[in-house]
Amino acid sequence: MAETMGSLMDKICIAELKIYHIQEQVDRTDLAADLRQLSRDRLMVMKRQRDDLVAELNEAAASWTRGAWRPKVYRQFKMYNDPRFQMKSRA
């Protein structure tokens, strides 16, 4: 699995925001018909993409539940918060 569950959730949230805003364009009555149709076409693609992400998240959750997959934990090592890595002044 290339994605983490968190990154999938993040992408789903972003997709939902895009869907919300493109739906606003579809619903506009002052927008030209060709642009409304373009917005409808894009909306269909966005919903398929979102659904693909949801399916991948569900698959990951099911694999984790079955014990077939275990998420990796990637630790972050930050030197700038650790005083042991402070440069000594050369004065």
Side-chain angles (χ1 to χ4, degrees), residues 46-59:
M46 288 177 185
K47 285 182 175 182
R48 277 196 308 268
Q49 291 172 340
R50 185 257 340 259
D51 292 347
D52 289 345
L53 292 167
V54 169
E56 189 173 346
L57 178 62
N58 289 337
E59 183 180 318

Side-chain angles (χ1 to χ4, degrees), residues 19-47:
I19 288 169
Y20 175 85
H21 288 291
I22 200 75
Q23 184 66 57
E24 286 183 322
Q25 299 308 309
V26 169
D27 295 340
R28 283 179 56 189
T29 56
D30 64 326
L31 194 61
D34 60 326
L35 293 177
R36 289 176 69 193
Q37 183 58 49
L38 176 64
S39 297
R40 277 192 288 278
D41 296 342
R42 289 180 176 178
L43 180 61
M44 287 177 21
V45 172
M46 288 177 185
K47 285 182 175 182

Side-chain angles (χ1 to χ4, degrees), residues 79-88:
M79 294 185 298
Y80 60 85
N81 286 335
D82 190 334
R84 298 173 296 173
F85 287 96
Q86 297 280 325
M87 298 279 289
K88 305 237 190 291

